Amino acid sequence: MEATESEGKTVLHLINGEERLLLDDIQIQGDSVKIGLHIFDADLIAKVDGDKMAGRLVKHDAPSYYGIPFTAKHGQTYRFSEKPAPAIYNYAGKWEVAFADNEGKTTKAVGLFEQHENHLTGTFLTETGDYRYLEGEVAGENLQLSAFDGNHVYLFKAAPADANTIKGEFFSGITGYRTWTATRNENAALANPDSLTFLNPGYEELTFSFPNLEGKNVSLTDPQYKGKVVVVQLLGTWCPNCMDETQYLAPFHKENQKRGFEVIGLGFERNPEFEKAAARLRKMKERLNIDYELLVAGPADNKAAAEALPALNHVMSFPTTIIVDKKGKVRKIHTGFSGPGTGAYYEEWVKEFNHTIEQLLAEK
């Protein structure tokens, strides 16, 4: 974290690689501080002692108490080692990755790493989204990468098995643990994200009716959306990939609304009680400067989301983005999101999304 002064008050930024997430909800009481974590229903709560803080990351939307101990030291500018051993292994490039859990179930991914001497950045692409901005080091031949974005706490470790294979461990949250293996492969790829979720037989349209943040039901058949190109975004305020997608969609909507383009966000929240879910979505709406409707659609669960939208074969991921044409027909469904931390993959998504919307706006 970095502390600066803004408009007469102290603000913090979480730093992961190129990302700087603003934390401006800071409450100080005596020797204690409570730091609100961006759009997420979580806080850092700590006691300040000289140049150190010690406390816990607390997630309020977890089903039971969720607290991870943390410490912070003022003036420490390095993530892992102040003077790491010279790097003797090059991790830069694209890797074909398999994550394995304790039961042996594997998940495919693509690893993207950039290395400059000891400094290492990168991410992992999966079929349900990316791991966003990871940053760390190569010390000797050993890799360490981490990230804390206000919601996810990640740590990756690895070492080479040979010139083109690495093996490692992945720690997340309180108890999350998987092993991973990666092989150099510049052609590594995942399934097309536009092919993973589709309409069930007999469906051409998407139907729903959910309350907005004022409690008024909204649906695609409302006059506001008739004859327009509409993006229906399945999201949650707990979902960093949803945050990344929204940071693109919100300004895009403002720029194109007068041309007949709309967005509806369907919020699937960890606390589905209307008032609590609506409060989380209001905070997201304010923080990300959203001017399209956000609806309270149900609990943060893939199965529940699929049941709420029976036209879909399933819901694999948040976000899932459904593009509807002027006649109300579903034209494309995109599973997951490759955000700006993925570099060229994000740029390709932007290019394809813009092209699709332009095509649909041009149709009569």
Side-chain angles (χ1 to χ4, degrees), residues 22-24 38-39 282-289:
L22 174 65
L23 308 179
D24 58 2
H38 200 55
I39 67 169
R282 285 189 195 99
K283 182 170 184 179
M284 182 179 187
K285 191 178 180 82
E286 179 183 349
R287 290 298 298 254
L288 301 185
N289 203 16

Side-chain angles (χ1 to χ4, degrees), residues 239-260:
C239 163
N241 288 141
C242 302
M243 174 181 69
D244 288 341
E245 183 182 55
T246 302
Q247 286 176 322
Y248 183 82
L249 287 181
F252 186 91
H253 174 255
K254 287 182 180 178
E255 292 168 10
N256 292 281
Q257 186 178 21
K258 292 181 179 179
R259 302 175 62 207

Side-chain angles (χ1 to χ4, degrees), residues 56-75:
R56 288 182 176 269
L57 160 66
V58 178
K59 292 189 179 183
H60 305 294
D61 56 5
S64 58
Y65 176 76
Y66 188 108
I68 300 179
F70 90 95
T71 58
K73 183 178 180 182
H74 184 261

Side-chain angles (χ1 to χ4, degrees), residues 18-49:
E18 296 179 4
E19 179 178 55
R20 294 171 59 85
L21 275 177
L22 174 65
L23 308 179
D24 58 2
D25 178 12
I26 302 171
Q27 301 172 39
I28 299 174
Q29 295 179 332
D31 63 355
S32 298
V33 62
K34 179 180 174 183
I35 303 166
L37 293 169
H38 200 55
I39 67 169
F40 307 115
D41 196 6
D43 296 299
L44 292 176
I45 301 173
K47 180 179 178 180
V48 180
D49 184 8

